[in-house]
């Protein structure tokens, strides 16, 4: 059955509470208490066979007895009764359920089995299910509060442009509190719990389209729904809204044991990082940053450049803020002479009118100084953002005037404004936030959030200027793993069927790896395979001497560990001897698996790189491109790319390698053909999509990046094939 | 004249205020107001020729008219009158002056000249001078407040174990406020301003010995007194107290234009970093961190290991804190079965008794849960520190009980305890701090400060275990640049006098560079210099063929840029031709400077490294050791070392290179003789100290680190000599 949209879950006209309690502080009593407290004007149906009335409302004995249609049914009953209740809900035509109850997959396999049944009910009936083990929803616009979150029991609602979407209720509550402290607030608060049906991504995809929402804050422990997240990221780009995500489990030891170089090198978090980057989702480091970034990213203004003017009451603080700006890629604005003249006219002689602008204790004696100085800076055509950095503003300072002047300047000007105020009262920070000025007590945090916002703004502007971005095009292409490959190539299934019999433990020999990749147009092979018997025949089209010879066997994937590679063979005669030796040595190691000896051109020089593929449990195939050689491994110089891959995106990844300057001819070195390396990445990405799940690993290592115009030479290749995995590749 | 100690400046028995105002809120009125407010029981002498009485105290017409001895005279008068007044103070036998007045070196050269006169007066008279352009001193133990800092105008004094020593008054004030917010406080507050005489280092050296002080907080914009800071660091080590320093100007474009590889590579901040590291001074990133670290480092307990147990009320927060711990080098403690059993007995079934320990909302219903759970964790022999990470503790939670239980556990146990509490009231953080529990609203900040403290504790413990540390021994040796070198070597002056005539633009040829280094026992040269005429003579003891030949001229320091290096010369005959060619080519480039052709052994293999020396304006010579080759430059893989250098310290630096695993035989590579590289660093350090200021730059590049036991081969050497600099080397 088709799944319904989340419209009724997130903006319900009627809410039933199954297991409703008369006690407004109990978990099963809170939703009704909150609905009343926040003025919900839809229908409320308490359901409880043991009561006629709950919290002053008529109570129904079962969900089937409820007279009207039900958009949301809250399930707040013991875990053991949940399945039956859900079936009743589905039968009664309930649009969506929110299961508060815990005791499912979080308890291990037994609970997991029950939870899978929940998923089945949802899939079968089309009814959407949030949870189990979730705090539920607060939907501000609808004044709908099907939640038991303690955060809403007291105090005022802090409404604002944010949407909190979190797998954890406690984390959602912390974020809500932090936003409130920062003078910001929410339109949605959704805790998805165990995600038997509705995921964080599903909710994001809905709320990001709400005109009242200008920033989405996500918290994820598991990436259960990468496809959905990718879509949410793409829609957020269309809507020109930011999605900020905090993903925990960064250092989890999830590195799968892998036989290939690539698999061992790139950790799982690299793929996560690349996934967010590709889909324009901004990843933050911790909760405090997420809340601070929310304020910065939730504003209507975008940055148009990196040039920052700092205004401060302390020269020392000004220097530190400038340091941090430079470290994070912001630039120190050079002020126009008129701006400096204007500042000098309003500042005492010992103050600094250069950037950073130090207004000194003059601010004590001239409380409205900022009402003149900040607009002057924001009007300067060389200034894209103003960082107001204060500290030690004790007794005597007119805090109201400072807040008011900053807020006014922010309202009146296009340049960005952000405040870092050491030792400010929490109330000062909140009031600035309420007036729309991003502010924090920690100037470093302000600089970090400004720097991230500038980068985000410029990336978005780039995407607009250059039409659909590389990433968007990649997604728009919607190349699924079942798409037909190039017309000249047989079906993937046929190719795999042809090569699978040649594998040992999944591995193809170098020769067959290259042959497969040649068939998929990834490379052109000039290598020659000499059968053991043909060694002496000189009529084969061998490469020019000197040559390289390698024993070829699928059972010996790491040939050089076994002395099965011989370099610099000068002539026919030597080759003949080497072929015999290699064949016999390889036969000793893996009898009956030796295909022959592979003879290759000896490639001298070039920049050593590698291209590989690993499988990630969440994202499927990840293509990895990096600098080669032993030292480079130590310096972890590689980039992950998720297929489908456009040339522009691959090139950007190659350019992002730390060793790129060396490839691009730094220190008078030769310019290497790094464009060819980028093309190889694209081709590998295509091959990967074509082969689909059957491709387990691929290593092209080393790849020699030759001088400009001469392309790349793939010196070794290793492909591992397997059965398609159970997990579907997104 | 001998400079007095800072005893009377920091703990004065009598304070005169020159230019005293009757108005207690004016800059020149505040010191007396503060002295009264904070109960100073020494003598107070207002000095002002226009008044008989100031703020109720008898006023004197001049400093000379003051009846008693004066420990501190505050100078709060216009800049133009300062010199005359200082002379009067010196004549009157005043022990120390604090100059509030501004208008000196901060205004440029003119003010700088007057300030130098202040320095002269101090040096001449022995009177100590703090400032000018400084906020002065608050000395809590002495209840002495010769300061005008606004921070002390209102509110309670927040006394505590910290000593704030800052070049900037505003930054000192911010720190004071932040410490107060964190429930910590100070014994000293000293703002040194322009430092005409007394520096931050001087003050640190005094206050670090005060038994009431357990942590020193420094803020530096300029490193004016590296020698003093080094001493302060060493004394802090003896006293087993931490010095935390915030140094601004991290990204300053201070890289001197340098002709050597080493000079261009290592930025000024690298030397600063190494300087602090060498002297056991902990450098922090920003003000917020400095205040948070102060609380952590100011406690009496030290860490004895890295194993952390996390206790939280949110599984999500627990995961994030664990992530951060791992990223910062802390370990996740494995709890003993008894600990887990104990926790399980007190936690509900759905809570997690493994690490991170999730107490869930159980804390709401069992408010004293932490009084049992935290001691259990702190008693676990596998736990060195407990991180309590909370959030979303809204209405209903017994905050008093939580604070009390945490503080009690911290008092009763040796393990460390630190708190990160998202959304905590500022008052909660302050109360925890007042009870001695390091706490912050940002769990990431708590983890950062704990990780830094664990590293600091373990470093200190290492130093104790291994006797005087490498660093301490280095310092204790107190090798000055005028020390005699090895007995067999003539005086440095003689050596320099012998080599200086051989330089062009300060450079020695490779041959003479190596000859000099051989004379200083840095290396053994086997190279042979063939004079242009001697090329054909075969009776010279040439190295075995193949050899390398290089034209030798002090005028061509970068030989390979001019095709003056020929590798792999197979025999005598070829060498003869090459020598002629190189000589003639070099003569074309720099006529009359060619010494001949240097013939060297051709060294194959080995790990490519370099050792160099640059001069830093602040620290004098910096020895730099790094991995060689073009890629390594891109990855900035080098370490700075400040002479004098012990072998242990040099070895630690070599081991700290990112490429060290490659040298130590990673991936089955050959084990290189990295100990020999460390010995070379030591020898270079000795040569540097011996040559003193006359050595401007040195580059040993490449240095081939040969297989274990075979030492290193210095393939090229470049020494630049010059006149001694004006700045004295510390």
């Amino acid at each position: 059955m088709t799944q319904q949209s989340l419209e009724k879950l997130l903006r319900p006209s009627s809410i039933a509470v199954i297991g409703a309690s008369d006690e407004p502080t109990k978990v099963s009593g809170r939703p009704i208490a909150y609905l009343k407290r926040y003025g919900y004007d839809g229908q409320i149906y308490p359901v409880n066979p043991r009561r006629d009335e709950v919290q002053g409302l008529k109570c129904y004995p079962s969900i089937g007895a409820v007279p009207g249609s039900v958009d949301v049914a809250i399930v707040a009953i013991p875990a053991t009764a949940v399945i039956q209740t859900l079936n009743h809900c589905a039968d009664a035509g309930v649009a969506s359920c929110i299961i508060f109850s815990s005791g499912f997959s979080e308890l291990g396999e037994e609970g997991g089995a029950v939870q899978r049944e929940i998923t089945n009910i949802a899939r079968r009936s089309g009814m959407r299910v949030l949870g189990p083990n979730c705090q539920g929803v607060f939907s501000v616009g609808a004044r709908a509060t099907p939640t038991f979150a303690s955060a809403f029991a007291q105090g005022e609602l802090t409404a604002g442009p944010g949407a909190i979407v979190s797998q954890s209720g406690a984390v959602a509550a912390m974020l809500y509190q932090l936003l409130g402290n920062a003078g910001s607030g929410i339109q949605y608060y959704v805790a998805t719990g165990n995600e038997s049906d509705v995921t964080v991504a599903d909710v994001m995809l809905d709320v990001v389209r709400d005109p009242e929402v200008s920033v989405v804050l996500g918290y994820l422990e598991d990436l259960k729904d990468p496809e959905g997240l990718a879509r949410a990221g793409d829609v957020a780009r269309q809507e020109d809204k930011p999605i900020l995500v905090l993903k925990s489990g960064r250092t989890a030891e999830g590195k799968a044991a892998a036989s290939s170089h690539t698999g061992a090198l790139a950790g799982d978090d690299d793929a996560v990082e690349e996934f967010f980057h590709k889909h324009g989702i901004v990843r933050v480091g911790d909760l405090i940053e997420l809340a601070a970034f929310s304020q910065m990213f939730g504003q209507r203004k975008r940055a148009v450049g990196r040039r920052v003017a700092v205004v401060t009451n302390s020269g020392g603080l000004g220097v530190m803020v400038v340091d941090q700006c430079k470290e994070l890629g912001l630039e120190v604005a050079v002020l126009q002479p008129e701006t400096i003249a204007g500042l000098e006219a309003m500042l005492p002689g010992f103050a600094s009118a250069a950037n950073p602008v130090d207004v000194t204790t003059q601010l004590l004696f001239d409380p409205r100084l900022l009402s003149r100085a900040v607009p002057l800076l924001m009007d300067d055509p060389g200034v894209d953002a103003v960082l107001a950095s204060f500290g030690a503003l004790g007794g005597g300072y007119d805090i109201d005037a400072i807040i008011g002047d900053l807020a006014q300047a922010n309202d009146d000007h296009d340049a960005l404004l952000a405040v870092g105020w050491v030792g400010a009262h929490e109330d000062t920070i909140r009031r600035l936030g309420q007036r729309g000025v991003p502010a924090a007590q920690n100037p470093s945090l302000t600089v970090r959030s400004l720097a991230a916002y500038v980068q985000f703004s410029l990336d978005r502007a780039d995407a607009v200027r250059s039409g659909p971005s590389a990433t968007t095009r990649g997604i728009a292409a919607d190349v699924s793993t079942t798409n037909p490959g190039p017309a000249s190539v047989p079906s993937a299934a046929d190719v795999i069927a042809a090569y699978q019999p040649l594998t040992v433990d999944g591995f193809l020999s170098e020769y067959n790896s290259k042959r497969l990749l040649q068939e998929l147009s990834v490379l052109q092979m000039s290598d020659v395979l000499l059968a053991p018997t043909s060694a002496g025949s000189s009529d084969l089209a061998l490469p020019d001497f000197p040559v390289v010879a390698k024993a070829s066997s699928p059972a010996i994937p790491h040939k050089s560990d076994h002395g099965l590679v011989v370099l610099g063979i000068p002539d026919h005669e030597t080759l003949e001897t080497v072929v015999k030796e290699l064949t016999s040595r390889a036969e000793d190691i893996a009898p009956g698996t030796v295909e022959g000896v592979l003879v290759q051109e000896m490639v001298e020089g070039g920049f050593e790189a590698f291209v590989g593929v690993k499988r990630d449990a969440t994202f499927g195939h990840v293509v990895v491109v990096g600098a080669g050689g032993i030292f480079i491994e130590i310096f972890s110089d590689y980039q992950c790319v998720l297929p489908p891959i456009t040339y522009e995106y691959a090139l950007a990844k190659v350019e992002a390698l730390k060793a790129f300057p060396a490839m691009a001819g730094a220190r008078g070195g030769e310019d290497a053909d790094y464009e060819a390396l980028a093309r190889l990445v694209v081709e590998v990405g295509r091959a990967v999509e074509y082969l689909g799940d059957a491709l387990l690993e691929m290593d092209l290592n080393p790849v020699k990046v030759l001088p400009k115009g001469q392309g790349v030479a793939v010196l070794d290749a290793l492909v591992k094939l397997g059965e398609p995995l159970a997990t579907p590749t997104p």
Side-chain angles (χ1 to χ4, degrees), chain A:
Chain A
M1 191 143 173
T2 321
Q3 294 301 109
Q4 300 200 32
S5 84
L6 300 190
E7 177 63 28
K8 290 182 177 169
L9 173 67
L10 296 177
R11 288 162 291 271
S13 299
S14 55
I15 299 175
V17 183
I18 300 171
S21 165
D22 200 42
E23 177 52 65
T25 61
K26 287 183 77 171
V27 163
S28 51
R30 286 187 200 164
I32 293 174
Y34 292 175
L35 289 166
K36 290 177 167 182
R37 176 161 205 249
Y38 293 98
Y40 180 63
D41 58 7
Q43 294 299 317
I44 308 176
Y45 303 114
V47 175
N48 192 331
R50 285 174 310 223
R51 297 191 157 273
D52 294 329
E53 202 181 278
V54 166
Q55 298 186 45
L57 299 170
K58 179 172 164 43
C59 183
Y60 300 88
S62 70
I63 190 72
V66 168
S69 69
V70 173
D71 285 352
V72 165
I74 294 170
V75 179
I77 56 175
T80 47
V82 163
I83 295 293
Q84 192 186 14
T85 303
L86 282 186
N87 280 320
H88 291 167
C89 287
D91 294 345
V94 166
S96 53
C97 286
I98 299 178
I99 309 175
F100 291 175
S101 325
S102 56
F104 298 91
S105 67
E106 78 277 16
L107 295 189
E109 188 36 47
E110 201 174 327
V114 185
Q115 187 171 313
R116 280 194 292 282
E117 183 49 27
I118 297 177
T119 306
N120 290 337
I121 295 172
R123 297 278 183 272
R124 236 173 16 233
S125 63
M127 180 175 75
R128 302 310 301 261
V129 176
L130 188 71
N133 190 25
C134 80
Q135 272 191 2
V137 173
F138 195 134
S139 180
V140 173
R143 281 178 286 167
T145 60
T147 178
F148 68 94
S150 309
F152 305 109
Q154 296 167 313
E156 290 290 295
L157 171 74
T158 58
I164 294 174
V165 194
S166 168
Q167 287 177 340
S168 154
V171 169
M174 289 181 228
L175 280 173
Y176 176 69
Q177 187 181 12
L178 290 172
L179 290 185
N181 290 350
S184 188
I186 58 160
Q187 282 298 314
Y188 294 93
Y189 175 106
V190 183
T192 58
N194 292 6
E195 301 195 340
S196 65
D197 170 29
V198 175
T199 64
V200 158
D202 292 330
V203 179
M204 284 180 167
L205 206 47
D206 178 290
V207 299
V208 74
R209 294 191 172 101
D210 186 326
E212 297 299 317
V213 169
S214 62
V215 58
V216 177
L217 288 75
Y219 171 73
L220 292 163
E221 287 170 7
D222 295 308
L223 279 171
K224 287 184 183 162
D225 184 11
E227 258 182 299
L229 272 176
R231 267 201 308 278
D234 294 339
V235 170
R237 217 186 304 244
Q238 285 155 25
E239 298 276 331
D240 192 21
K241 291 178 187 173
I243 295 180
L244 309 174
V245 160
L246 179 59
K247 162 79 177 72
S248 63
R250 207 179 259 273
T251 57
E253 273 119 43
K255 242 181 223 192
S259 49
S260 76
H261 172 80
T262 306
L265 187 64
D268 289 346
D269 201 63
D270 292 313
V272 174
E273 203 71 43
E274 163 58 9
F275 173 80
F276 287 134
H277 176 250
K278 175 163 185 166
H279 297 289
I281 294 170
V282 177
R283 188 177 188 184
V284 302
D286 62 37
L287 278 168
I288 306 295
E289 214 172 79
L290 182 51
F293 279 34
S294 172
Q295 220 189 11
M296 182 71 74
F297 282 69
Q299 63 182 310
R300 301 282 162 190
K301 293 188 216 175
R302 289 282 189 261
V304 297
R306 303 184 178 277
R307 300 162 306 170
V308 175
V310 176
V311 58
T312 182
N313 69 318
S314 152
L317 185 57
V319 171
M320 287 187 274
V321 168
V322 161
D323 275 1
Q324 286 159 347
C325 285
K326 288 191 208 159
E327 280 172 0
L328 294 172
L330 297 172
E331 291 161 14
V332 182
V334 178
L335 303 182
Q336 304 276 318
E338 307 85 73
T339 308
I340 293 178
L343 289 168
E344 276 171 351
M346 65 183 78
L347 294 174
F350 53 89
S352 165
N355 189 11
V357 180
D358 182 0
V359 300
T360 71
T361 47
Q362 182 71 3
L363 190 55
L364 181 60
F365 310 114
D366 179 1
R368 303 300 307 279
L369 176 59
L370 297 179
S371 72
R372 305 187 305 279
V374 175
L376 205 59
L377 288 168
M378 294 179 90
D379 277 336
D380 188 312
V383 172
D384 301 312
V386 173
L387 265 169
S389 303
F390 304 126
L393 294 183
Y397 282 89
D398 187 343
I399 304 299
D400 289 346
I402 295 174
I403 294 172
D405 290 340
L406 291 171
Q408 194 63 49
N410 189 43
D411 288 343
D412 293 348
H413 294 81
D414 291 334
L416 297 178
L417 177 65
V419 177
W421 190 328
V422 177
H425 280 281
E426 282 186 337
D427 188 54
T428 300
I429 299 299
R430 187 181 299 115
R431 287 170 61 198
L432 282 164
Q434 283 163 345
R435 297 286 304 268
V437 181
Q441 290 166 316
N442 183 347
S444 307
L445 182 58
T446 304
V447 176
R448 271 206 316 278
S449 72
L450 178 66
Y453 189 54
V454 166
Q455 190 58 52
F456 169 83
S457 299
L458 298 181
D459 284 351
R460 282 279 158 102
D462 269 355
V464 169
R465 257 197 303 282
S466 63
S469 79
T471 318
T472 313
R473 270 208 296 282
I475 283 299
D478 193 25
V479 184
S480 87
T481 54
T482 55
N483 262 8
S488 62
V489 173
S491 84
D494 287 350
V495 171
I496 292 158
Y499 280 87
Q500 210 123 33
L502 307 174
T503 61
V504 172
D505 296 337
F507 288 108
L508 289 171
S509 67
E510 176 178 348
Y511 175 65
N512 282 319
S513 295
K514 284 182 171 170
R515 220 161 48 82
L516 170 61
L517 293 171
Q518 180 167 262
E519 219 168 318
L520 302 179
S521 312
V522 173
L523 51 78
Q524 276 297 328
M525 178 162 58
S526 59
D527 303 2
V528 174
L529 183 72
L530 297 182
T533 49
S534 68
S537 81
S538 58
D539 54 345
L540 270 159
L542 287 176
D544 292 342
F545 286 96
V547 295
V548 178
K550 302 170 177 174
S552 191
S553 156
I556 316 172
H558 302 295
K559 300 174 288 291
S560 49
D561 296 353
H562 298 278
L564 297 178
V565 178
V566 179
L567 304 177
I569 298 164
D571 51 38
H572 246 286
E573 209 180 331
T574 317
L575 178 61
E576 200 168 328
T577 319
V578 166
V579 167
K580 279 182 195 139
E581 277 172 18
L582 287 180
T583 308
S584 118
R585 206 176 306 158
E587 275 294 348
D588 285 351
I589 296 168
T593 69
V594 184
E595 298 163 351
V597 170
L598 201 60
V599 181
Q600 302 171 353
E601 186 189 355
M602 176 98 184
V603 178
E604 300 274 13
F607 177 91
E608 194 174 327
F610 76 89
V611 176
V613 178
K614 62 167 259 175
R615 285 200 59 140
D616 179 275
T618 306
F619 304 109
H621 292 115
V622 185
V623 178
V624 184
V625 57
I630 178 166
F631 303 132
I632 307 300
E633 201 164 307
I634 290 169
F635 298 117
S636 297
D637 189 15
Y638 59 84
Q639 292 280 325
C640 292
V641 204
L642 293 167
I645 306 167
T646 64
Y647 172 71
E648 291 78 7
Y649 199 72
L651 186 63
K653 286 289 180 178
V654 168
E655 288 171 351
L657 291 173
K658 294 175 206 158
F660 178 72
M663 266 192 277
R667 287 245 313 199
E670 211 166 3
D671 224 21
D673 201 343
Y674 54 84
E675 287 99 339
L677 182 61
R679 284 194 298 272
L680 179 62
V681 170
V682 173
E683 293 305 332
V684 167
R686 270 196 205 136
V688 156
E689 291 188 273
Y690 176 71
L691 290 174
D693 287 353
L695 179 69
L696 293 188
E697 294 176 15
M698 186 194 303
D699 256 347
L700 310 184
N701 182 26
V703 171
K704 285 294 189 85
V705 188
L706 302 174
K708 208 84 171 178
Q710 297 179 34
V712 294
V714 178
L715 299 198
D716 199 352
L718 180 64
V719 169
K720 187 176 185 184
L721 298 176
E723 300 303 315
L725 294 189
T727 325
T729 311

